[in-house]
Amino acid sequence: MAQGRETNATQARWRRPIGWALAAVLAYAMPAMARDFDVRHYMARIEPDLQTRSVKGEVSIRFAATVDSTDLIVLDRDGLDIDRVREGERSLSFDQTGRVLKVRLPRPALRGQLREISVSYHGTPRFGLQFHPDKRQVYTLFATTQWLVGVDAPDERASLDLSVVLPAGLKAVGNGYLVGRRSLGKGKELHRWRQTVPMPAYTYGFAAGPFEEASDRGSRVRLRYLGAGYSQNDLRKLFADTGDMLRYFERRAGVPYPGGVYTQALVARTIGQEHAGFALLSEEYGRGVLGDRRDESLIAHETAHQWWGNLVTCRDWTQFWLNEGFANFLAASYMEQRFGRDEYLKQVDGWRRRYERLKEAGKDKPLVFPDWDKPSGDDRAVVYQKGAYVLHLLREDLGEAAFWNGLREYTRAHRGASVTSQDFQRAMEQASGRDLSAFFANWVYPAAPAR
Ligand SMILES: [Zn+2]
């Protein structure tokens, strides 16, 4: 996702202070809890109500125990109210104290054995599902467990079959490919998507609205653009570099874009949010790009997340710089090849100045730091700006060949997996033939506690 107004000067006007949205998002940013099971697949049907800003849903969760035996399944439900939990036709007893759902299995799940429970629920999401009834738009932002009961941890990957009941006649996007769309009568339509490559739950989502739609071909990948209040020409114009971006990031990642279609939708209000296979940007931001092509680095940032963030994911939120510092840095490097070195250096200078301010204010931290439960704006700047700045320093230090080879090998080796900074360090050491422990100790890791 985008960070907010601090990213760089040219985009400042598109990025509102994040306030509750990102503060709440990062309130999730706790180290992942150890789990006794691994989710393999979600099959969900949800129905948002634009007028009441509420949602009801049912999700079947297929999982396997990762311990010899367990009879307790703990799921994240955020504020959702659980109506019923079943295994087959049998109702199970459950507890929904706090923000989790605890389900007692009548017979324990054994290691590796596939089991499936289904959960019915309803609720009024605080921000994970955004309702704009005036614009007939509804879309998801980051906090998946505000509309889908599941496991909200970046190291938990599963496939998804998502059906969403929407007002008839809207254009929509969801993860993976569209399985189908059919009328349910009474002004409702069911859209169904399937994400077959397992992905972390925070990349799940959809967006719907009375959008105009345009498409392009970016080599192998179909590019789809959605936005209300835009002509098809404008959509094609403002997203014109997307195919070039995909090809650039594929080259840097050494991994092809993982899917057949990449969709970008301009929605009522967002700071920018990546999902598996699509990105949401704001209508206002889109108009800015039409005014000045060089504002497109946020498009590049969200596109870069398809590799760094979605395909290679931080193992827990203390390693979040591996998503956001990387997306910032890779977007700037795209801007460099598109508009020239000065455009890149302008961004580097912005990161460096933000980092200097952090130091002066005594708010500097290593890129990996444990106290993620209440991140401040300065903490976000550590992850987004200092993170990108440190990648720039490493690039300068190692030189072009070693740096980009290392980044590519890191991405290839860990695609479809969750990573820590050690994984990145090892890849860069291998590519450069150098011991980088001093560099990483200086910039990345928290100091060992004093004895
Ligand atoms: Zn981001």
Side-chain angles (χ1 to χ4, degrees):
M1 79 195 73
Q3 181 204 11
R5 61 180 167 175
E6 295 156 326
T7 308
N8 72 47
T10 56
Q11 284 167 9
R13 63 190 183 277
W14 312 117
R15 302 185 175 195
R16 301 170 193 288
I18 328 176
W20 56 269
L22 198 57
V25 159
L26 293 180
Y28 286 73
M30 311 265 261
M33 219 167 57
R35 287 177 303 280
D36 290 345
F37 62 97
D38 172 39
V39 177
R40 301 291 174 81
H41 184 68
Y42 296 97
M43 188 160 95
R45 175 184 165 125
I46 74 152
E47 182 166 357
D49 184 323
L50 271 76
Q51 298 311 318
T52 60
R53 296 169 190 263
S54 64
V55 65
K56 59 182 181 183
E58 176 162 9
V59 58
S60 294
I61 303 171
R62 196 183 308 151
F63 62 92
T66 52
V67 293
D68 287 342
S69 169
T70 182
D71 65 353
L72 178 67
I73 297 301
V74 182
L75 299 164
D76 298 295
R77 65 172 189 94
D78 207 325
L80 292 167
D81 289 312
I82 309 302
D83 300 315
R84 192 176 175 207
V85 182
R86 287 176 300 136
E87 183 175 22
E89 288 310 304
R90 181 172 183 175
S91 289
L92 306 186
S93 63
F94 62 89
D95 176 283
Q96 52 180 323
T97 314
R99 293 208 314 208
V100 298
L101 165 65
K102 292 180 181 169
V103 180
R104 231 7 116 174
L105 299 173
R107 88 195 138 79
L110 307 178
R111 186 188 293 277
Q113 179 192 45
L114 280 180
R115 296 280 288 268
E116 187 167 310
I117 58 174
S118 65
V119 182
S120 307
Y121 56 89
H122 66 276
T124 48
R126 283 170 297 138
F127 57 87
L129 196 51
Q130 297 271 315
F131 300 92
H132 291 272
D134 51 325
K135 294 182 171 239
R136 297 181 70 221
Q137 291 187 20
V138 57
Y139 51 92
T140 55
L141 290 183
F142 193 84
T144 301
T145 51
Q146 289 188 11
W147 55 272
L148 179 74
V149 174
V151 174
D152 185 21
D155 66 340
E156 173 64 80
R157 286 167 188 269
S159 51
L160 170 72
D161 187 319
L162 178 65
S163 296
V164 184
V165 178
L166 292 165
L170 300 184
K171 290 265 169 61
V173 58
N175 307 118
Y177 66 92
L178 181 71
V179 176
R181 170 177 176 169
R182 65 184 165 90
S183 171
L184 300 176
K186 295 182 186 166
K188 290 180 180 181
E189 252 174 5
L190 184 130
H191 299 241
R192 182 175 179 189
W193 297 273
R194 194 171 289 153
Q195 170 71 36
T196 51
V197 178
M199 294 298 288
Y202 80 87
T203 69
Y204 296 171
F206 64 91
F211 301 130
E212 183 58 79
E213 173 166 3
S215 62
D216 265 331
R217 266 240 159 245
S219 61
R220 189 179 53 77
V221 182
R222 189 165 77 92
L223 305 175
R224 194 172 166 234
Y225 316 131
L226 301 170
Y230 286 85
S231 68
Q232 292 188 0
N233 268 349
D234 279 349
L235 289 170
R236 276 199 202 93
K237 192 173 156 200
L238 82 95
F239 289 120
D241 283 337
T242 308
D244 191 39
M245 289 175 190
L246 289 175
R247 286 187 293 276
Y248 176 76
F249 294 134
E250 283 183 336
R251 185 157 63 82
R252 290 309 191 196
V255 180
Y257 171 77
V261 54
Y262 180 55
T263 303
Q264 294 171 99
L266 298 164
V267 297
R269 189 163 163 248
T270 175
I271 53 171
Q273 177 69 52
E274 73 279 14
H275 291 78
F278 70 98
L280 302 183
L281 301 152
S282 77
E283 291 165 359
E284 189 189 1
Y285 168 73
R287 279 188 282 278
V289 178
L290 282 177
D292 182 356
R293 186 85 260 150
R294 286 169 198 246
D295 274 350
E296 72 181 12
S297 80
L298 181 58
I299 295 177
H301 175 110
E302 302 306 344
T303 304
H305 273 313
Q306 295 298 323
W307 288 266
W308 300 279
N310 293 5
L311 201 62
V312 177
T313 311
C314 59
R315 183 166 300 168
D316 63 58
W317 300 118
T318 68
Q319 309 274 340
F320 199 34
W321 83 281
L322 296 172
N323 290 15
E324 297 301 345
F326 275 60
N328 258 0
F329 171 79
L330 267 300
S333 83
Y334 173 76
M335 298 298 280
E336 176 180 17
Q337 78 121 35
R338 174 71 177 80
F339 298 103
R341 180 81 177 163
D342 284 355
E343 199 62 33
Y344 171 76
L345 291 177
K346 207 163 79 185
Q347 304 220 15
V348 171
D349 197 49
W351 302 333
R352 186 187 50 74
R353 279 185 284 116
R354 186 67 183 89
Y355 166 61
E356 298 293 342
R357 288 212 310 278
L358 280 173
K359 276 202 301 191
E360 279 160 27
K363 300 294 169 90
D364 183 31
K365 289 180 178 180
L367 295 179
V368 176
F369 55 96
D371 47 335
W372 260 110
D373 51 336
K374 288 191 177 66
S376 63
D378 288 327
D379 290 346
R380 296 195 298 268
V382 168
V383 164
Y384 281 79
Q385 270 89 43
K386 184 183 170 185
Y389 182 55
V390 167
L391 288 172
H392 164 73
L393 295 179
L394 190 59
R395 178 186 182 183
E396 295 284 294
D397 189 5
L398 299 185
E400 291 296 285
F403 178 83
W404 291 113
N405 286 342
L407 184 81
R408 193 177 60 239
E409 289 315 307
Y410 159 78
T411 312
R412 284 161 60 109
H414 299 287
R415 62 174 135 174
S418 300
V419 283
T420 64
S421 300
Q422 279 93 343
D423 295 317
F424 179 56
Q425 181 185 342
R426 269 193 293 275
M428 299 315 274
E429 287 182 337
Q430 247 168 20
S432 63
R434 281 174 48 187
D435 175 1
L436 297 174
S437 46
F439 183 94
F440 276 75
N442 187 32
W443 292 103
V444 179
Y445 303 125
R451 287 173 191 274

